[in-house]
Amino acid sequence: MSIQEIQDEIVEEFSLFDDWMERYEYIIELGKTLPLIDEKHKTEENIITGCQSKVWVYGEQKGGRIVFTADSDAILTKGIIAILIRSFSNQKPSDILDANNDFIDKIGLKEHLSPTRANGLVSMIKKIKIYALGFTSKN
């Protein structure tokens, strides 16, 4: 499945909820499905800066695709990173770099987060793209 197809699927899922309390609950549920980062990768190098909670993201290349794992000490943030991992994990680095992230605006996520969480969201995307860039330059 392409990044765009996954993101369209996420937009469709969020459209099923009438209000933001239901959407927050759904985000928290998604956090429970997050592929968790191995404890050995919970390092300063993998921590997201600019986020009020602690968030770690780790990517490794497997067969030309990047597989991401992550964790957070906050349940809502765990759900947010789960959405991003779902979008970008198991994708080619070039596809991650070329991806349009307007699905975040389509689901209204950024506008319904506190400024520090919205900054954290941007930092999470940046970290994922940095991994993609790093793996692109190694090929």
Side-chain angles (χ1 to χ4, degrees):
M1 212 180 219
S2 74
I3 292 173
Q4 189 62 56
E5 289 169 330
I6 294 167
Q7 291 176 349
D8 289 345
E9 199 175 75
I10 292 168
V11 169
E12 196 173 306
E13 288 167 15
F14 272 81
S15 72
L16 300 174
F17 302 103
D18 294 328
D19 65 41
W20 263 92
M21 285 317 294
E22 291 175 340
R23 288 179 183 197
Y24 286 132
E25 288 171 22
Y26 183 60
I27 291 169
I28 290 166
E29 284 303 308
L30 289 174
K32 295 174 184 173
T33 68
L34 180 66
L36 288 181
I37 192 170
D38 190 307
E39 288 296 318
K40 72 181 178 193
H41 297 302
K42 282 189 173 182
T43 61
E44 283 301 310
E45 181 183 293
N46 294 325
I47 205 158
I48 304 290
T49 53
C51 206
Q52 72 183 31
S53 3
K54 287 195 182 234
V55 182
W56 298 268
V57 174
Y58 176 72
E60 60 185 317
Q61 198 163 22
K62 292 182 179 178
R65 295 176 181 269
I66 305 176
V67 177
F68 289 102
T69 54
D71 198 5
S72 174
D73 61 357
I75 56 171
L76 186 64
T77 309
K78 202 177 227 183
I80 293 167
I81 192 64
I83 292 169
L84 297 177
I85 298 291
R86 181 172 156 196
S87 295
F88 298 114
S89 194
N90 291 306
Q91 300 291 338
K92 294 177 187 165
S94 58
D95 292 343
I96 293 169
L97 290 171
D98 294 341
N100 181 333
N101 297 314
D102 64 352
F103 82 105
I104 292 165
D105 294 327
K106 285 180 184 171
I107 62 177
L109 188 56
K110 216 187 284 186
E111 68 189 73
H112 285 89
L113 294 175
S114 66
T116 50
R117 280 222 166 88
N119 287 342
L121 172 64
V122 171
S123 296
M124 290 177 214
I125 293 170
K126 208 178 281 183
K127 182 77 167 175
I128 288 168
K129 297 246 181 190
I130 287 169
Y131 266 111
L133 196 59
F135 286 123
T136 301
S137 63
K138 287 180 184 173
N139 292 336

